Amino acid sequence: MSTNQTKKSQDAEQAVKDLKALEEQDNAKALTPEEERRKRKRVKRRANPRAAFHMSKASVGLNSEDLGSMTDRDAVNWVAVARWGSKTEMPCPHCGTFDKHYFTRADLRWKCKCCSKRFSVTSDTVLSGHKLPLTKILRIVFDWSNGASGMPALQLRRNWNHTYSTVLSLVHKMREGLVRGNNIGAIAGVNEMDGMDVIGRRGYAKRGNPKDKAKPTEIPPELQKPKVDENGKELPPKHEKNTRQNPERRLMLVMCQRGVSAGTGSSATRVTIAVREEGRTVTAFARKHASAESIMMTDEDNSYGAFSELFAAHNTVNHSQEYSNGKGVSNNQAESFNARMRRSVEGIYLNPSHKYLMEYACENAWRQDVRKLNTGKRLEHLFGKVLSVGTSQWWSNYTHGENRECELLIEGNRPVATRGKPKGYQHRLPR
């Protein structure tokens, strides 16, 4: 067979194959958009473990229906377990005797076997002398504790049809218990610190601060920028931070203990309120809440300069260049808490006053620490902390005019004026 004949036969075979391919394409059924979507290669994304927990059944250990079906005795037993760890054995609030005391079903109280005095589950606590039923208190506090960034008292007042002062004093007693019972003690390990402006910065442009509308012309001596430190050494200049500070400005200092396992976030949080982010304030806060063997991680602010001598190590990150240096040095957990606090102050509670700023900071610190607990364990943890600090020092007889007259600061408590209109103020009628 010649070369031309071989080439012709190959061309004929190729033509037959092309014809068959065209016929198969014509006979093939067109795919629907749904079938084309299924044929695409799926990209499996890594699930967020925290979001997966909040969407699971394990995140709900107690709900409103469970609390609504509680009897008075069930509520007493639940609070007793949260406070003492048992509903049969507990210490007497009067003499301290730990025993199985006599329980009276009629008034849901115990009688001490030693001193014969009677006590209830809320004796010698911030809820002493409460007038609301215990079941109602549990349901109101449950709603308040389940808020992601908090829940204002005005909304709780509408939900439960109680006076504003009743609901406000109740949730502030919870915050008082967190200030005195949760924001205490030293934390060790890798601790991250940072500070943020809470209120007062650009206050003339915000609501609720009429005194801030006029910028200060003279800076008080205690707010002026220092030129030398305690040892007489000249301080480096800070980048326009305290040159013209508003007297109403307040900062929050936060310390977050980094979790042991990677990706678990912070495990413990401590907060305080300061007038200025300077060396003596951050050092006093760190000495109060961080052990000497801790590894401190901060930004490159000059106020943290003494940490290298006080703690085992001090690592810094330059935020003008990076958020983390790739070697585990960052204070992103503290920055994350700052975002939580800012969302709560500006989005939920709408610019709280100076007097109660420490309470709101401790509330958010508690929400940060219990974010991995289900609803039942979270409420039990809250009552365990709140009922362990004794009677209320700041909110007892609040409706009778007895309330704290100072704000809680790391520099020392400072008297603060009451917010609102002065006594005898009359609203000016419109024209």
Side-chain angles (χ1 to χ4, degrees), residues 168-343:
L168 180 70
S169 60
L170 175 60
V171 296
H172 264 297
K173 285 180 179 179
M174 298 292 112
R175 295 188 182 104
E176 178 186 353
L178 294 176
V179 173
R180 297 166 53 196
N182 189 59
N183 193 52
I184 57 175
I187 54 180
V190 181
N191 299 331
E192 303 179 8
M193 272 192 65
D194 195 26
M196 64 165 286
D197 293 287
V198 186
I199 55 176
R201 185 168 181 240
R202 296 188 301 272
Y204 53 87
K206 297 179 181 178
R207 55 172 290 178
N209 257 337
K211 293 186 295 182
D212 294 348
K213 291 183 178 179
K215 293 185 178 181
T217 56
E218 295 184 1
I219 303 177
E222 66 272 10
L223 297 181
Q224 291 181 1
K225 180 180 177 182
K227 297 180 180 180
V228 295
D229 60 6
E230 299 175 354
N231 299 324
K233 296 181 180 180
E234 187 175 353
L235 293 174
K238 299 184 81 172
H239 182 65
E240 299 180 359
K241 195 160 187 179
N242 294 316
T243 54
R244 299 292 292 175
Q245 177 169 305
N246 195 312
E248 301 296 327
R249 178 187 179 192
R250 295 294 179 270
L251 296 99
M252 182 193 69
L253 301 177
V254 57
M255 181 189 302
C256 295
Q257 182 186 38
R258 186 180 293 184
V260 178
S261 302
T264 57
S266 60
S267 56
T269 309
R270 300 290 182 266
V271 292
T272 191
I273 304 299
V275 177
R276 295 183 54 192
E277 188 180 7
E278 59 181 2
R280 62 186 182 91
T281 56
V282 299
T283 301
F285 174 60
R287 281 179 169 174
K288 181 179 180 182
H289 292 297
S291 61
E293 64 271 13
S294 300
I295 300 175
M296 306 299 293
M297 294 193 178
T298 66
D299 54 23
E300 292 191 340
D301 195 291
N302 299 321
S303 57
Y304 303 105
F307 280 14
S308 58
E309 300 177 358
L310 298 175
F311 302 101
H314 178 213
N315 301 324
T316 61
V317 58
N318 188 357
H319 280 169
S320 61
Q321 298 179 359
E322 56 191 2
Y323 293 110
S324 176
N325 65 354
K327 300 179 181 178
V329 178
S330 69
N331 63 342
N332 291 337
Q333 301 299 330
E335 296 283 358
S336 176
F337 179 79
N338 290 346
R340 175 189 287 270
M341 182 66 180
R342 183 172 288 107
R343 183 170 65 248

Side-chain angles (χ1 to χ4, degrees), residues 1-272:
M1 185 180 294
S2 63
T3 306
N4 293 335
Q5 292 177 348
T6 304
K7 187 177 181 180
K8 287 181 180 179
S9 62
Q10 291 177 353
D11 294 341
E13 291 176 0
Q14 185 63 33
V16 172
K17 290 180 181 180
D18 294 341
L19 183 61
K20 287 182 178 181
L22 291 173
E23 291 177 354
E24 290 177 358
Q25 290 180 2
D26 294 339
N27 296 331
K29 184 181 178 181
L31 296 178
T32 62
E34 181 66 20
E35 292 174 341
E36 290 181 356
R37 186 186 65 81
R38 290 178 179 176
K39 273 194 170 185
R40 296 173 190 163
K41 185 178 180 181
R42 294 185 179 181
V43 179
K44 190 174 182 180
R45 300 181 178 178
R46 185 171 62 90
N48 187 340
R50 187 54 45 220
F53 168 75
H54 289 301
M55 296 298 292
S56 65
K57 292 183 179 180
S59 64
V60 182
L62 194 68
N63 55 44
S64 299
E65 187 176 355
D66 298 334
L67 292 173
S69 61
M70 271 190 181
T71 62
D72 292 338
R73 184 172 181 181
D74 294 337
V76 169
N77 291 336
W78 190 93
V79 176
V81 173
R83 181 184 180 185
W84 297 310
S86 172
K87 60 182 179 181
T88 57
E89 297 181 349
M90 68 283 297
C92 173
H94 303 289
C95 65
T97 303
F98 188 87
D99 204 340
K100 290 185 178 181
H101 302 287
Y102 306 110
F103 182 71
T104 307
R105 297 184 180 181
D107 54 357
L108 301 177
R109 294 164 67 88
W110 287 269
K111 181 180 178 181
C112 179
K113 286 185 176 181
C114 182
C115 64
S116 300
K117 292 184 179 180
R118 295 185 178 273
F119 62 91
S120 68
V121 74
T122 58
S123 295
D124 196 28
T125 67
V126 295
L127 297 178
S128 297
H130 65 88
K131 297 179 177 60
L132 288 177
L134 194 58
T135 53
K136 181 68 70 68
I137 292 176
L138 282 176
R139 296 170 71 181
I140 295 176
V141 176
F142 179 75
D143 282 358
W144 176 78
S145 65
N146 276 346
S149 300
M151 183 175 291
L154 191 60
Q155 181 176 348
L156 290 171
R157 185 257 176 199
R158 291 191 292 262
N159 292 348
W160 293 99
N161 193 22
H162 285 289
T163 61
Y164 179 74
S165 58
T166 299
V167 179
L168 180 70
S169 60
L170 175 60
V171 296
H172 264 297
K173 285 180 179 179
M174 298 292 112
R175 295 188 182 104
E176 178 186 353
L178 294 176
V179 173
R180 297 166 53 196
N182 189 59
N183 193 52
I184 57 175
I187 54 180
V190 181
N191 299 331
E192 303 179 8
M193 272 192 65
D194 195 26
M196 64 165 286
D197 293 287
V198 186
I199 55 176
R201 185 168 181 240
R202 296 188 301 272
Y204 53 87
K206 297 179 181 178
R207 55 172 290 178
N209 257 337
K211 293 186 295 182
D212 294 348
K213 291 183 178 179
K215 293 185 178 181
T217 56
E218 295 184 1
I219 303 177
E222 66 272 10
L223 297 181
Q224 291 181 1
K225 180 180 177 182
K227 297 180 180 180
V228 295
D229 60 6
E230 299 175 354
N231 299 324
K233 296 181 180 180
E234 187 175 353
L235 293 174
K238 299 184 81 172
H239 182 65
E240 299 180 359
K241 195 160 187 179
N242 294 316
T243 54
R244 299 292 292 175
Q245 177 169 305
N246 195 312
E248 301 296 327
R249 178 187 179 192
R250 295 294 179 270
L251 296 99
M252 182 193 69
L253 301 177
V254 57
M255 181 189 302
C256 295
Q257 182 186 38
R258 186 180 293 184
V260 178
S261 302
T264 57
S266 60
S267 56
T269 309
R270 300 290 182 266
V271 292
T272 191

